Amino acid sequence: RRTTAAILVKLAFGEEVDSLRQLSTESQALSVLLAGVQTRMTSPLPYWRIPGLSGPIDGMNGALRTLRQRAFAILQNPKGAAQAQFLSSMLSAESDSKLSQEEVVGNLIILLVAGTDTTST
């Protein structure tokens, strides 16, 4: 799962990651996000709907916030987006008025979660 996350982070954010030595901030956030999804799926009650409980239990909201902030930062800097293959492609779609930045970031998060989960199991 670590290697898959590193490859997807490279594709999405354009950063080289040595997943065998240390995880990048984005890879760590992706790991927390995936663990949070699993925790929520297996929870007998929807604790994340109770204000203040989701952070201490699964950390998913903070991880999602980290990934979204990083993606928006790249979208604001066209040079940074050029290295991020996925965001670069999505950015061109956005410039054609097909997608908003919010939709681009949402698609990125879906790619990261779905791609990591399906390729590493």
Side-chain angles (χ1 to χ4, degrees):
R1 192 174 260 193
R2 237 179 153 173
T3 303
T4 303
I7 291 168
L8 286 170
V9 165
K10 167 68 174 148
L11 174 71
F13 296 109
E15 295 183 2
E16 283 296 332
V17 177
D18 184 358
S19 64
L20 297 177
R21 294 201 178 144
Q22 78 177 44
L23 289 175
S24 68
T25 303
E26 292 83 9
S27 293
Q28 289 174 356
L30 182 56
S31 294
V32 171
L33 183 64
L34 291 170
V37 167
Q38 184 174 8
T39 300
R40 289 182 183 192
M41 286 176 51
T42 58
S43 175
L45 62 111
Y47 63 86
W48 57 93
R49 293 185 179 168
I50 301 169
L53 278 186
S54 65
I57 293 176
D58 62 28
M60 190 172 149
N61 292 347
L64 187 57
R65 189 171 31 258
T66 298
L67 292 171
R68 289 174 54 80
Q69 286 172 346
R70 180 71 175 115
F72 278 117
I74 289 173
L75 287 173
Q76 299 303 318
N77 178 6
K79 284 185 178 181
Q83 293 180 345
Q85 296 170 358
F86 180 77
L87 278 178
S88 180
S89 297
M90 296 301 288
L91 192 58
S92 68
E94 181 210 8
S95 66
D96 294 337
S97 299
K98 294 178 184 171
L99 296 172
S100 68
Q101 281 194 353
E102 190 69 32
E103 291 169 323
V104 169
V105 172
N107 280 309
L108 172 68
I109 300 300
I110 290 169
L111 169 82
L112 292 172
V113 172
T116 303
D117 195 45
T118 58
T119 58
S120 63
T121 54

